[in-house]
Amino acid sequence: MHVRCLDRLPDELYRDVLARMAELSPVVQALPPTAALVELKGALRYHGTGADVYRLGQLLRVRTLTRHGFDLRIGIGPTISVATTASARIPAPAGVLVVAPDQAAAWLAEVPVEALHGIGPRQAGVLHDYGIRTIGLLAAVPAETVQRLLGGRAGRLARDRARGIDPRAVVPRALAATATVGCTFARHALDGADVRAALLDLVVRLGRMLRRRGQSPQALTLTLTFAGTGRWSKTRRLPEPSAHDDDLRIAAYRLMDAAGLQRGRLTGLSLRGEELRDAGTVAQQITLDHSREARLVAEAAVDRVRDKFGAGVIGPAAVFRAAS
């Protein structure tokens, strides 16, 4: 089963959809940023003789719709490539399309060749130039010809998938151990109060995201995007894994200082927490810094206020001044 979520789905919602998939089957392969694969063979045995793949797909749709208010496009087939091709053929916004194993060849035969999983625009253009416009025609062309047109390995893969052959298995894989937040500037910006306020806002957003997920990063990466095509990125390891705003802010500001912007014109910033660990497994260093302890207590209280009234109701004064 190949599942497509909404474009630009927030990370926390994507993770929750993955959790809903794990309720159906223990074999879930995350395909960030908004897709996933689910192995259903074992799930059918688990859910009993009355279950079928179409009902499991609809069950996932209903659970996601009732919990989050958005729907999914779900393709189900005998191979990864058939399921992925099927999910892309479902009209937006949602639906379930099942391609049975004994119908896969016939179904693929009528699909445009550019819709085959793994075929890019350039490959489709080459095939169109030779009159190969459907997957059925691609499957009928001799293997040597397809390899000559698309290249050795790419040609073999394309022809095999056109014939419904794809030996790949769904490999359980969680999301990569990172969390990212970013922003763009309406106008080119120089390092100054507005840029520092934007960076502080990213720190607050990242910290809240990590604390809600119960994770702590061991490292922080700052990426700066400049006018034109320039980018600058640098990573800094934290003294110990932490998702607290103070610790993230210190590391982020040091990264910004290391950039030495001078007159560089910025168009965007992104901040990424890396090497994430379960916060419950991180040893807490004993400290006699009472002011830090007070800030951590205040941070927990602020998180509760945001959870109840929204993220924008409270935050650092510098961020609110920059927004006003």
Side-chain angles (χ1 to χ4, degrees), residues 8-323:
R8 303 181 184 88
L9 188 69
D11 182 74
E12 59 269 22
L13 292 185
Y14 178 49
R15 288 177 180 273
D16 197 78
V17 175
L18 291 176
R20 303 287 77 73
M21 297 177 198
E23 294 173 354
L24 296 182
S25 169
V27 185
V28 177
Q29 181 176 343
L31 301 174
T34 58
L37 290 166
V38 183
E39 175 58 69
L40 293 180
K41 292 178 182 178
L44 288 173
R45 292 191 293 269
Y46 175 80
H47 288 278
T49 56
D52 60 64
V53 292
Y54 180 78
R55 288 180 59 189
L56 291 181
Q58 292 288 22
L59 179 61
L60 178 59
R61 285 183 61 201
V62 170
R63 288 179 177 178
T64 304
L65 187 61
T66 55
R67 186 178 179 89
H68 298 299
F70 63 85
D71 216 329
L72 306 170
R73 290 188 292 164
I74 300 174
I76 302 175
T79 67
I80 288 176
S81 57
V82 172
T84 306
T85 302
S87 67
R89 302 296 292 168
I90 299 171
V96 176
L97 176 57
V98 177
V99 181
D102 59 349
Q103 298 173 351
W107 181 79
L108 286 170
E110 302 301 321
V111 176
V113 71
E114 61 268 21
L116 179 64
H117 173 59
I119 293 290
R122 293 182 62 183
Q123 292 175 319
V126 171
L127 296 172
H128 284 181
D129 289 342
Y130 285 85
I132 304 172
R133 296 186 173 275
T134 65
I135 297 177
L137 288 175
L138 177 60
V141 173
E144 297 80 3
T145 302
V146 181
Q147 291 177 39
R148 189 164 59 249
L149 294 177
L150 302 181
R153 182 175 182 275
R156 286 193 300 272
L157 286 175
R159 187 172 183 273
D160 283 348
R161 292 175 182 178
R163 299 170 66 202
I165 300 171
D166 187 351
R168 293 176 298 167
V170 179
V171 179
R173 186 174 69 194
L175 283 179
T178 62
T180 306
V181 293
C183 70
T184 57
F185 298 109
R187 295 176 294 180
H188 297 172
L190 301 175
D191 189 9
D194 289 343
V195 170
R196 296 290 169 144
L199 180 59
L200 181 57
D201 184 52
L202 294 187
V203 166
V204 171
R205 287 165 51 194
L206 180 62
R208 181 168 181 257
M209 176 193 299
L210 291 168
R211 292 192 295 274
R212 292 179 70 185
R213 284 164 37 176
Q215 295 177 311
S216 296
Q218 179 64 72
L220 206 61
T221 296
L222 175 65
T223 299
L224 310 180
T225 304
F226 296 95
T229 59
R231 292 171 68 88
W232 179 92
S233 185
K234 187 175 180 64
T235 301
R236 185 181 184 91
R237 293 184 66 81
L238 302 174
E240 60 184 31
S242 173
H244 297 304
D245 290 352
D246 270 1
D247 301 327
L248 298 177
R249 174 182 52 79
I250 292 170
Y253 277 19
R254 287 176 177 172
L255 285 168
M256 181 64 85
D257 291 339
L261 287 181
Q262 296 180 352
R263 302 299 296 173
R265 295 176 298 156
L266 290 172
T267 60
L269 305 172
S270 71
L271 196 61
R272 182 171 70 247
E274 302 192 78
E275 299 177 37
L276 302 187
R277 295 174 53 184
D278 186 333
T281 66
V282 176
Q284 297 295 318
Q285 183 69 37
I286 297 175
T287 176
L288 298 178
D289 186 347
H290 298 298
S291 61
R292 174 180 171 81
E293 295 299 323
R295 289 195 299 272
L296 295 185
V297 171
E299 180 181 83
V302 169
D303 282 346
R304 291 194 294 271
V305 171
R306 289 179 178 136
D307 290 341
K308 185 172 183 179
F309 299 105
V313 301
I314 190 172
V319 174
F320 282 92
R321 282 198 298 268

